């Protein structure tokens, strides 16, 4: 790879105000060539080299000056950030160790190496730690009085390798559970069995007390939070996700820490801690900006997915109609921007929640359009739980819109899907029991006929939610159907029924 001609301009444009201030002082103190200083100052003000007002440079001279200025800026930035980044601090110390070693000053090098080892150990920089131990062996060989025997160094090396291996093992389990979550969402029946075999009950999956490092403990908690979310034990999922944001996060990759934040947002919603979830969204946005994750399209997409989805869910449950309208508008606008790039499973999640939000504000026509888009894609292999939910949604939609003549056929179609395979039977037993109530071709327009069926539907939902392990009487996926059935029965808008529900049940 080669540098592009505008790399210098992009580097200067990316500088923070504190970095610019540091560079200005550094240039003056180090008495850099005035030509470099002038070029730097002009590039700060100009949009491009073509607009430089007084630049007399051209050709190879300009190319060389730009190259040297680029290297000089990086040199000063490295000095500035050496106090902020543990990686940079260790690498700089190792560079000094090598220089001193090459000058036959092993004793002096060892002092710096011990400092580097302390930083690497405290912050679990195991890759760098192994380099430090390698240097310690080199220095010990040539020192008259080494700090410790070679055998002790190699023993510690084995410990570090074991810690690193455990982290990599947990990362593989994390990848596996995320794949299953992407494919199935919630796990019931055979999916739960598969989840247990491949992750939680796997012989290599460690207990918490067996975790050898803070990193290992973090990934262990992250995996268990996702597992308990998938298996509906949301109280326990919340306890594990809460630990993710309370623990020291300096040793965790920013990408994995933001995933932990997203998991905590999810768990907070699932236990009705809606303000915690909204606060988590703000924290995640600030964290992405601080650690430059917003320069990644993948993480910008992920943040959009979590932010939009849970604002739609939260305002749907609190019955805040105007905020919900705004959330729908923002979600649709962002979805249009990212449509060709965002993964299909995220599109499904966002679109499904937009559909639910349209029901909440009473726009049945747009909800019908969203349902058609989701159902006709036939994407049953991606987030199968969302596809399956469309059948139950359809039944409630027909009840809401009083399209009673289609209810028996829609229920029969749903029943065929829910009983299509043994896996479906195990996973969608509740849904199957509900649609079974509406398969008969009877007069659903009669209140005497419909009211008992709606009551039995509510009872099925409430009993299921109460029987879920770790249940709190709330289940984000199913409680909305209780609210919807209530709205249908009372003949009021969904958002009003949600507002009433939240006043009674919303305090987590």
């Amino acid at each position: 790879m080669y540098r592009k001609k505008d790399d210098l301009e992009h580097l200067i444009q990316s500088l923070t105000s504190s970095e610019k201030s540091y560079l200005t002082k550094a240039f003056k103190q180090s008495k850099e060539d005035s030509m470099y200083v002038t070029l730097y100052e002009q590039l700060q003000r100009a949009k491009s080299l073509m607009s430089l007002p007084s630049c007399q440079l051209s050709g190879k001279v300009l190319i060389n000056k730009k190259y040297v200025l680029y290297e000089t800026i990086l040199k000063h930035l490295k000095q500035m950030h050496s106090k902020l980044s543990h990686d940079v601090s260790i690498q700089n110390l190792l560079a000094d160790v090598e220089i001193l070693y090459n000058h036959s000053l092993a004793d002096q090098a060892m002092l710096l190496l011990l400092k580097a080892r302390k930083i690497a150990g405290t912050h679990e920089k195991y890759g760098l730690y192994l380099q430090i131990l390698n240097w310690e062996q080199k220095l010990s060989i040539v020192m008259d009085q080494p700090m410790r025997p070679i055998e002790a160094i190699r023993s510690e090396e084995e410990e570090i390798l074991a810690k690193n291996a455990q982290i990599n093992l947990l990362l593989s389990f994390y990848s596996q559970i995320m794949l299953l979550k992407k494919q199935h969402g919630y796990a019931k029946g055979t999916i739960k069995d598969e989840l247990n075999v491949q992750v939680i009950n796997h012989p290599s999956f460690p207990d918490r007390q067996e975790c050898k490092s803070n990193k290992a403990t973090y990934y262990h908690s992250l995996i268990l939070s996702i597992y308990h979310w998938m298996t509906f034990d949301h109280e326990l999922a919340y306890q594990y996700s809460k630990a993710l944001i309370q623990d020291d996060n300096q040793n965790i990759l920013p990408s994995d820490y933001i995933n932990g934040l997203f998991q905590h947002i999810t768990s907070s919603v699932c236990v009705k801690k809606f303000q915690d979830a909204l606060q988590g969204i703000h924290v995640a946005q600030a964290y992405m900006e601080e650690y430059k994750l917003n320069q990644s399209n993948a993480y910008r997409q992920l943040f959009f997915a979590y932010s939009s989805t849970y604002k739609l869910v939260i305002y749907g449950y609190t019955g805040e109609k105007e905020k919900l309208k705004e959330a729908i508008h923002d979600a649709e606008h962002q979805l249009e921007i990212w449509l060709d790039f965002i993964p299909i499973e995220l599109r499904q999640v966002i679109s499904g929640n937009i559909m639910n939000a349209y029901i909440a504000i009473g726009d049945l026509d747009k909800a019908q359009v969203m349902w058609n888009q989701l159902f006709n894609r036939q994407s049953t292999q991606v987030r199968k739980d969302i596809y399956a939910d469309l059948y139950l949604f359809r039944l409630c939609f027909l009840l809401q819109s009083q399209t009673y003549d289609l209810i028996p056929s829609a229920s029969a179609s749903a029943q065929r899907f829910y009983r299509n395979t043994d896996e479906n039977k195990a996973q969608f037993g509740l849904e199957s029991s509900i649609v079974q109530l509406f398969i008969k071709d009877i007069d659903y327009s009669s209140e005497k006929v419909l009211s008992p069926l709606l009551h039995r539907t509510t009872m099925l939902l409430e009993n299921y939610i109460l029987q879920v392990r770790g249940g709190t009487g709330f289940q984000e996926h199913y409680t909305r159907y209780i609210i919807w059935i209530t709205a249908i029965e009372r003949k009021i808008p969904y958002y009003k029924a949600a507002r009433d529900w939240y006043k009674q049940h919303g305090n987590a």
Side-chain angles (χ1 to χ4, degrees):
M1 291 181 66
Y2 297 93
R3 284 199 189 135
K4 298 175 183 177
K5 63 181 181 180
D6 54 357
D7 278 358
L8 176 60
E9 290 93 314
H10 289 161
L11 174 61
I12 292 174
Q13 290 167 8
S14 73
L15 297 174
T16 64
S17 57
S18 60
E19 288 172 334
K20 289 177 182 178
S21 176
Y22 181 88
L23 285 172
T24 300
K25 293 179 181 178
F27 282 146
K28 291 179 180 178
Q29 291 173 357
S30 59
K31 299 180 180 180
E32 305 283 355
D33 186 321
S34 60
M35 184 63 72
Y36 299 132
V37 178
T38 301
L39 182 58
Y40 165 73
E41 291 175 346
Q42 290 177 337
L43 281 170
Q44 275 199 83
R45 295 189 295 268
K47 293 182 179 180
S48 70
L49 278 172
M50 299 301 295
S51 62
L52 289 178
S54 59
C55 184
Q56 304 300 318
L57 304 175
S58 62
K60 290 185 177 180
V61 175
L62 177 58
I63 292 173
N64 289 335
K65 292 293 183 184
K66 286 181 65 180
Y67 178 84
V68 175
L69 178 57
Y70 188 96
E71 295 295 323
T72 303
I73 291 174
L74 286 182
K75 179 187 72 174
H76 289 308
L77 289 177
K78 189 185 301 181
Q79 292 172 349
M80 175 184 177
H81 290 289
S82 64
K83 297 179 181 179
L84 304 176
S85 167
H86 303 301
D87 293 76
V88 174
S89 296
I90 295 169
Q91 288 163 354
N92 286 343
L93 286 167
L94 288 176
D96 293 340
V97 166
E98 184 166 4
I99 291 170
L100 291 170
Y101 176 81
N102 290 333
H103 283 77
S104 300
L105 298 171
D107 289 342
Q108 295 181 33
M110 182 62 81
L111 293 174
L112 297 181
L113 195 67
L114 291 175
K115 185 177 180 181
R117 192 176 73 185
K118 183 177 180 181
I119 297 171
T122 300
H123 300 284
E124 298 186 353
K125 305 294 182 181
Y126 294 135
L128 292 169
Y129 204 117
L130 291 171
Q131 294 182 44
I132 292 166
L133 293 176
N134 184 53
W135 266 112
E136 187 178 357
Q137 291 184 63
K138 286 183 181 180
L139 295 177
S140 296
I141 291 170
V142 299
M143 290 176 66
D144 293 331
Q145 294 182 327
M147 300 296 295
R148 55 180 175 163
I150 294 293
E151 290 75 12
I153 300 171
R154 289 174 179 168
S155 177
E156 185 175 12
E157 189 174 44
E158 290 178 5
E159 292 177 11
I160 297 300
L161 287 169
K163 290 179 178 180
N164 214 36
Q166 186 181 63
I167 291 169
N168 289 331
L169 176 65
L170 285 164
L171 286 172
S172 70
F173 283 123
Y174 173 61
S175 298
Q176 184 64 34
I177 198 170
M178 288 301 293
L179 178 61
L180 290 170
K181 180 184 177 184
K182 184 186 296 185
Q183 292 174 335
H184 304 288
Y186 289 114
K188 295 185 284 186
T190 57
I191 304 304
K192 183 178 179 180
D193 295 338
E194 181 183 355
L195 185 62
N196 288 334
V197 169
Q198 294 190 22
V199 183
I200 300 302
N201 294 335
H202 193 282
S204 299
F205 189 75
D207 293 331
R208 184 179 181 86
Q209 60 269 24
E210 295 174 333
C211 291
K212 302 177 185 294
S213 62
N214 289 333
K215 277 186 182 178
T217 301
Y218 179 89
Y219 291 117
H220 190 270
S221 295
L222 180 56
I223 291 167
L224 286 176
S225 182
I226 296 168
Y227 170 80
H228 290 297
W229 176 86
M230 292 181 70
T231 56
F232 294 94
D233 194 346
H234 295 304
E235 279 290 344
L236 201 49
Y238 176 78
Q239 294 304 317
Y240 279 110
S241 72
K242 190 175 180 180
L244 296 175
I245 62 171
Q246 290 176 336
D247 291 341
D248 180 10
N249 62 34
Q250 293 183 359
N251 302 333
I252 309 302
L253 282 174
S255 56
D256 291 335
Y257 185 72
I258 199 72
N259 287 336
L261 269 174
F262 290 149
Q263 180 59 34
H264 184 60
I265 292 167
T266 301
S267 297
S268 297
V269 170
C270 290
V271 293
K272 291 188 298 182
K273 294 185 181 294
F274 297 147
Q275 292 306 313
D276 282 13
L278 291 172
Q279 178 62 25
I281 290 171
H282 291 306
V283 171
Q285 185 174 18
Y287 186 87
M288 285 184 62
E289 292 174 359
E290 180 181 358
Y291 287 90
K292 311 302 180 185
L293 290 176
N294 52 6
Q295 65 185 309
S296 162
N297 282 339
Y299 277 96
R300 287 167 61 199
Q301 292 168 19
L302 200 58
F303 175 77
F304 152 59
Y306 275 85
S307 175
S308 61
T309 293
Y310 286 117
K311 284 181 180 178
L312 291 167
V313 170
I314 290 168
Y315 297 138
Y317 269 113
T318 57
E320 297 177 83
K321 186 177 181 181
E322 295 307 314
K323 288 185 178 180
L324 193 52
K325 284 183 177 179
E326 184 180 345
I328 292 171
H329 177 269
D330 290 344
E332 290 187 324
H333 176 67
Q334 289 295 321
L335 194 58
E336 185 177 348
I337 293 173
W338 293 108
L339 189 60
D340 295 331
F341 307 99
I342 198 166
I344 185 171
E345 68 273 6
L346 290 184
R347 289 208 306 270
Q348 277 190 305
V349 171
I350 298 164
S351 298
N353 281 286
I354 291 173
M355 177 183 71
N356 294 335
Y358 274 127
I359 289 294
I361 64 172
D363 195 332
L364 300 188
D365 291 339
K366 288 187 177 178
Q368 175 71 64
V369 170
M370 295 299 298
W371 187 91
N372 288 334
Q373 290 176 358
L374 284 164
F375 192 76
N376 291 333
R377 282 176 184 160
Q378 299 292 318
S379 50
T380 58
Q381 299 307 310
V382 183
R383 284 305 296 264
K384 189 176 181 179
D385 59 328
I386 295 176
Y387 187 82
D389 185 59
L390 292 173
Y391 286 98
L392 187 57
F393 180 96
R394 179 65 172 168
L395 172 60
C396 290
F397 181 88
L398 294 175
L399 290 168
Q400 173 85 53
S401 61
Q402 300 182 353
T403 315
Y404 298 127
D405 56 327
L406 296 181
I407 288 176
S409 60
S411 298
S413 177
Q415 191 69 289
R416 283 193 295 273
F417 175 82
Y418 294 141
R419 294 182 175 179
N420 184 40
T421 63
D422 289 340
E423 179 184 307
N424 282 16
K425 289 177 185 178
Q427 194 167 4
F428 305 117
L430 172 62
E431 289 84 348
S432 179
S433 298
I434 292 172
V435 299
Q436 182 66 36
L437 298 174
F438 295 90
I439 283 181
K440 293 181 180 179
D441 190 3
I442 55 179
D443 185 10
Y444 293 102
S445 64
S446 169
E447 189 172 338
K448 290 183 178 180
V449 172
L450 184 58
S451 184
L453 293 175
L454 294 178
H455 178 70
R456 288 175 65 185
T457 300
T458 300
M459 291 300 297
L460 285 170
L461 289 163
E462 288 180 344
N463 288 338
Y464 178 85
I465 292 170
L466 288 172
Q467 289 170 9
V468 172
R469 186 182 63 174
T472 60
F474 173 76
Q475 208 290 314
E476 185 263 321
H477 183 66
Y478 290 117
T479 299
R480 63 186 171 88
Y481 280 110
I482 294 176
I483 295 172
W484 198 355
I485 294 297
T486 301
I488 293 170
E489 197 167 17
R490 292 174 57 192
K491 296 181 175 58
I492 61 173
Y494 183 109
Y495 75 89
K496 288 187 177 180
R499 193 169 56 200
D500 293 342
W501 172 87
Y502 187 64
K503 285 179 181 178
Q504 184 176 356
H505 303 286
N507 293 325

